[in-house]
Amino acid sequence: MTLLRLEQVTRTVRIPDAEPLHILRGIDLEVEVGDHVSIVGRSGSGKSTLLNLLGLLDEPTSGRLVFDEIPLERMRSGQRDRRRGRDVGFIFQQFNLLGGRTALENVMTPLLYAGPAQFWRRRRLAAEMLDRVGLGSRLDSLPTQLSGGEQQRVAIARALVRGPRLILADEPTGALDVETGERVMALLDQVAEDSGAALITITHDPNVAALARRHYRLDQGILTPSGAEVRLEPALAAPTSAAAPALAPPVAPLAGPSTSGEVL
Amino acid sequence: MRLLTSIAAALVEAWGELRVSRLRVMLSLIGVAVAVAALTAVTALGAIAEQSLREQQERFGGRPALLSLQPTNSAGEAADSALTTAAFDAAAERYGITHTSRTIMDQTLVQLPTGETPVQFQAFDADYVTMHRLAIREGRWFTDGDAERFAPAVVINRDLWQMLGEPDLSTHPHFPLSGVQPTTAVVIGVTGDDCQGGCPTMNLLYDDYQRVGFTPMDYGPDSYVPQPTYEAWVPPSQAKELMKRLDSSISASLGDGWQTNISRNDYAAYLDGDPLLPVKLGVGGVAGLVLLLGALGLVNISLVTVKYRVREIGIRRSFGATAGRVFFGVMMESVVATVVAGLIGVALAVAVMKSPLVSMMMSTPVQDLPPFPISAAIVGLVSATAVGALAGLVPALVAVRVKPIDAIRL
Ligand SMILES: Nc1ncnc2c1ncn2[C@@H]1O[C@H](COP(=O)(O)OP(=O)(O)OP(=O)(O)O)[C@@H](O)[C@H]1O
Ligand SMILES: [Mg+2]
C-alpha cells in the first residue's frame, strides 16, 4: 500500500533582489507502508527541504503530493497538522529536545496533541517508550544531563510514541560520533521495523544509508535512485549487525507483538 | 470528550511552560499582582467611601425610602399629638410598615457642672436609630425597653460628654432635667459628633420627652414653635403608593381642615439614578489606568519570550500541534499566570485594607463596614483574567505565525 506519493514536485523560494532559488526540481517518489528509504546528498542539495515536504511541514511550489491517498491540497491546515501528529514522527540532527523538560516530559509532548485515549495515558505510554529505547532508568533526566546518543534516543522515543506510520530522520547521526551513531541507527531501524512504520533517513553517511532497503541520491534538487550504493551493503552491514547485540537488552522487548500493537 | 481532552492538554502544556520558565513568570506575576492589588484596593476604597458617604446622607435624610409627615391646619398649628399618633400608628399597621418614629428637635436649659447651658436635643422612637443608621462611639443606642425606665436614658454627643467631665459610662453618669416633671437623665451612649466643644446635644426617647414636659425656651414673640414629625421607613418601590395612602388615611382620621404634608426626604428621592456615579467613575478611571499599565508590561514580557520560544513552537508543531492549539496554549499560559497573580493581588489588597492605616485615613468612621467588599475581589479577579487574555492575544498571534520549517531551521 502506498503511504506517500510525490509527482513532479518542485520547491522554489523567492529571495529578495536575486533569482528565485530552485531547491527541488521535479521530484518523483513513492513510499510504501513499512518501506525503508535512504536519501544521500551533499550539503545544500535540498534534503531538509524535501523532508519537510514529506512530513507535511511545507507545501510544494508545483506538482502533487498524495499522503495516504489524500492529495495535500485537499487537506486544510488543521487537518494537515493533526495528520502529521498522528502519522509522522520527526527525528532531527540537533535532537531538538525541549529544554528544561525531563526525558519523560519530552516524550509526553506529542501525546498532548493526541486523542483522549493517548492523552490520558500519556505518562505510561511515554515511560514504556523510553524503556524500549533503553532509557527506562533516565525518565527524570534533563537533556543537559544526557549524552548526545541518549538525547537522540529520547528523540526517537518521542518520534515513535504516537505510533506513526512514517518516520522522518534528518541526519539522525550527524551530531554523534561514529560508534554511537551506528548504535542509534540500529536502534531506530529496529524500532521502525517492529512498529511497521516506513522510515526515510536523510544522511550523508554511507554506513547509515546502507541500512535502508532502497537508496536515493539528491543532487542539485534532482532525486535519482542509486542502485550503485547497494553493493556497499554486505560489507557495511556486518559491523552494524555486529553492534546490534550490544543493544540487545533494550531492543529485545520490542519484538513482542503485544507491545508494538499497543503503541500503534 | 475530544474538546475536553484538548482543553486539558492545553492546560497541562501551559502549566509545564510556566514551570520551566519560572523566573520570567515570577517577573510578570509581580507586575500583574501589583496592578490587581491596586485595582482591588482602589475598588474596595471606593466601595467603603461610598458606604461612608451614604451613611452620612442617611443620617440626615434617612434610609430610602423615608416618608415624613407633619399635619397642620390652615393656621399653621400642629395637630393634636395623641390623635395624630393614634392615626399614624393605625395607618402603619394597616399598610404593614414595620419601622416608624415620631421625632422633634428643640432646645432646653440643662444644669451642668459648668453652669446652666442651652442644650440642643432630639427626641425620637427607638426605630429612628435604624431608620437613620445612627452611629455611636461608646455605649449604645436606645432599645424599646428604655421607654420603661424610671430615669430617662439619653445619648449625648462628645461636647456634652466633655462638659460632664468625660465620665466612664459604666458609672451611669447622670444630670438633672427640668420641666413640668423634673427628673434625672442617665447617659447610656456617646456619639462621635462634636463641634470642638461648642454645641452640646442630646437624644432621648419621644415618650420620655413627653413625660418630662420641657420648659419651652423663650425665643421671643412670633417665633417658630417646634412640631413633631412622623416618619415611616418603607420599601422604595412602594414609596409613591404608600405616600398617597398614608395621606388620605391620616387626613380622614384628623377630620376637616387638616393637611398631612407628607414628603420623602432621603437622598435617593432627590436624585435620578445613582447619586454616587461621579465617585464611581473617578475610582473606575484610576483603576483602569493602573490595570492598563500592568497589561502593557505583561504584553511586553510575553512578546519577548515568544521570540525566544519560536524554535520550541516549531518543534511542537512538527509533533502535531495545530495553529489553534499553539494560539490557545500561549493564551492559556498568560491567563493561568494572571489568574494566579490576580489571587495574590486580591489577597494583598485585603491585607492592605485590613491594616489600621486605612481606617485612620477615613475621616468619619464607617458603621456598616463590610468585611471586604466582595465586589472588589470579583472586579480584581475578572480583570486579572481579562488582562491575561488580552496580554496573551498579541504573543499568541505572533506564535501562530511561526512557520515550523523556519523555526526548526534555526
Ligand atoms: N526559505 C529559504 N530561503 C532561502 N534559501 C533557502 C530556504 N530554504 C532553503 N534554502 C536554501 O536551499 C538550499 C537547500 O537547503 P536544505 O536545507 O534543504 O539543504 P540540505 O540538503 O538539508 O543541506 P544540509 O545537508 O546542509 O542540511 C540551501 O542552499 C538553503 O540555503
Ligand atoms: Mg539539512
Side-chain angles (χ1 to χ4, degrees), chain A residues 202-223:
Chain A
I202 282 181
T203 181
H204 43 230
D205 181 348
N207 290 342
V208 170
L211 284 171
R213 238 169 288 145
R214 296 199 294 133
H215 307 267
Y216 285 89
R217 166 171 292 283
L218 187 62
D219 197 9
Q220 301 200 335
I222 296 169
L223 191 71

Side-chain angles (χ1 to χ4, degrees), chain B residues 94-330:
Chain B
R94 186 170 331 141
Y95 300 120
I97 299 166
T98 52
H99 289 70
T100 56
S101 175
R102 298 161 291 180
T103 176
I104 192 163
M105 275 200 209
D106 204 348
Q107 223 177 17
T108 189
L109 285 170
V110 175
Q111 194 61 48
L112 296 177
T114 48
E116 195 165 66
T117 316
V119 171
Q120 189 108 47
F121 70 88
Q122 185 176 13
F124 43 72
D125 291 309
D127 280 350
Y128 188 93
V129 177
T130 312
M131 291 158 69
H132 290 254
R133 214 200 286 272
L134 295 182
I136 195 136
R137 194 188 188 89
E138 239 182 283
R140 61 175 180 86
W141 275 107
F142 310 114
T143 56
D144 287 327
D146 290 323
E148 265 100 67
R149 291 168 71 119
F150 178 69
V154 293
V155 172
I156 61 177
N157 74 344
R158 267 183 77 76
D159 291 347
L160 182 49
W161 180 64
Q162 278 163 349
M163 290 173 183
L164 288 172
E166 308 195 357
D168 188 339
L169 289 189
S170 61
T171 63
H172 306 290
H174 49 84
F175 54 86
L177 292 177
S178 53
V180 179
Q181 208 167 347
T183 179
T184 303
V186 178
V187 179
I188 60 163
V190 181
T191 67
D193 313 337
D194 65 48
C195 44
Q196 270 80 46
C199 43
T201 67
M202 66 173 179
N203 302 278
L204 73 166
L205 284 173
Y206 199 87
D207 288 337
D208 288 333
Y209 157 76
Q210 287 186 315
R211 220 174 294 143
V212 176
F214 290 101
T215 323
M217 297 241 316
D218 187 12
Y219 298 111
D222 295 335
S223 70
Y224 166 81
V225 179
Q227 292 178 8
T229 304
Y230 298 79
E231 291 188 349
W233 188 31
V234 302
S237 59
Q238 295 169 28
K240 270 217 169 75
E241 178 71 24
L242 284 173
M243 260 165 93
K244 257 187 251 155
R245 296 207 173 169
L246 285 177
D247 189 7
S248 60
S249 132
I250 292 166
S251 300
S253 308
L254 292 177
D256 273 352
W258 291 95
Q259 297 165 312
T260 52
N261 302 319
I262 190 162
S263 66
R264 189 180 159 183
N265 291 319
D266 59 89
Y267 68 88
Y270 299 122
L271 294 147
D272 261 342
D274 190 350
L276 295 155
L277 196 66
V279 179
K280 284 181 179 167
L281 282 180
V283 167
V286 172
L289 208 70
V290 169
L291 202 65
L292 190 72
L293 289 176
L296 279 177
L298 196 65
V299 168
N300 192 19
I301 292 170
S302 344
L303 262 182
V304 170
T305 49
V306 152
K307 283 202 182 117
Y308 173 76
R309 284 170 42 204
V310 160
R311 182 188 174 81
E312 189 169 314
I313 289 166
I315 296 167
R316 287 180 182 280
R317 297 218 50 187
S318 77
F319 285 108
T322 59
R325 248 318 271 289
V326 168
F327 183 88
F328 190 60
V330 174

Side-chain angles (χ1 to χ4, degrees), chain A residues 13 15 21 23 42-49 171 204, chain B residues 406 409:
Chain A
V13 295
I15 302 164
L21 186 63
I23 305 175
R42 261 182 304 190
S43 185
S45 56
K47 304 187 296 293
S48 296
T49 308
E171 309 222 24
H204 43 230
Chain B
D406 297 333
R409 191 186 293 277

